[in-house]
Amino acid sequence: MICLSVILVVSTVFSCAAKPVFAATLSKIPDEATAITLDGKTVSIADHRGKLIFLTVWRTDCKTCLLEIPLLNRLQKEYSSEDFTVIGLSVDRGKNEFVSRVVEKRYISYPVWLSDGQPLSRYTRTQYLPTLFAIGPEGEIL
């Protein structure tokens, strides 16, 4: 767990992320805050109850976002079996096929969701990208 804490700090410093909009007003992401997967399935944070989630909000034209992918892949590979997952939430608009190509080209090993027009996007607005959120096992914002 110490390793995860260190990585979280490094990633946060690396991203220069601002405090998310929802963190100031919510203690938990609502179950109805959904997004879609690259293959069109509706998903939510509630689907991962019981796990620590690192939710990274990113965009395909953000160079720093692309730089953090290897670190997030490593986290997913090393800790996903231990009640942990990384989820990438793309904020690209109208670029679903392009996001899919980036996922393939960059060998992204963690789930990538699309926020364009989806309810989850209301809770993940931020001034800077990438932004990494830690979400607890019951959906609480840590």
Side-chain angles (χ1 to χ4, degrees):
M1 193 58 139
I2 292 172
C3 183
L4 287 178
S5 299
V6 169
I7 292 170
L8 176 61
V9 170
V10 169
S11 182
T12 303
V13 170
F14 200 4
S15 70
C16 302
K19 189 171 184 178
V21 172
F22 70 81
T25 58
L26 293 177
S27 60
K28 186 176 179 180
I29 296 178
D31 290 348
E32 62 273 8
T34 59
I36 56 172
T37 62
L38 293 172
D39 58 0
K41 295 178 185 171
T42 300
V43 288
S44 88
I45 296 296
D47 298 336
H48 294 276
R49 287 285 188 259
K51 291 186 174 187
L52 172 64
I53 301 166
F54 279 6
L55 178 71
T56 183
V57 180
W58 69 292
R59 196 173 57 229
T60 57
D61 63 352
C62 166
K63 290 180 183 181
T64 309
C65 299
L66 299 175
L67 287 173
E68 80 171 354
I69 290 171
L71 172 65
L72 296 173
N73 276 338
R74 183 172 172 202
L75 282 172
Q76 181 71 5
K77 180 180 178 184
E78 291 184 21
Y79 297 103
S80 64
S81 64
E82 299 177 19
D83 297 326
F84 169 80
T85 192
V86 173
I87 298 172
L89 183 66
S90 169
V91 294
D92 289 284
R93 293 194 172 128
K95 294 182 175 182
N96 298 3
E97 288 182 29
F98 186 70
V99 173
S100 293
R101 286 196 304 270
V102 170
V103 167
E104 186 177 315
K105 181 180 177 185
R106 298 283 179 156
Y107 304 104
I108 296 178
S109 62
Y110 47 89
V112 173
W113 298 354
L114 305 167
S115 70
D116 187 18
Q118 300 300 308
L120 185 57
S121 66
R122 286 182 249 152
Y123 303 98
T124 56
R125 290 184 302 243
T126 183
Q127 293 177 336
Y128 301 103
L129 295 174
T131 300
L132 182 69
F133 304 117
I135 302 169
E138 298 304 316
E140 69 276 17
I141 300 161
L142 303 175

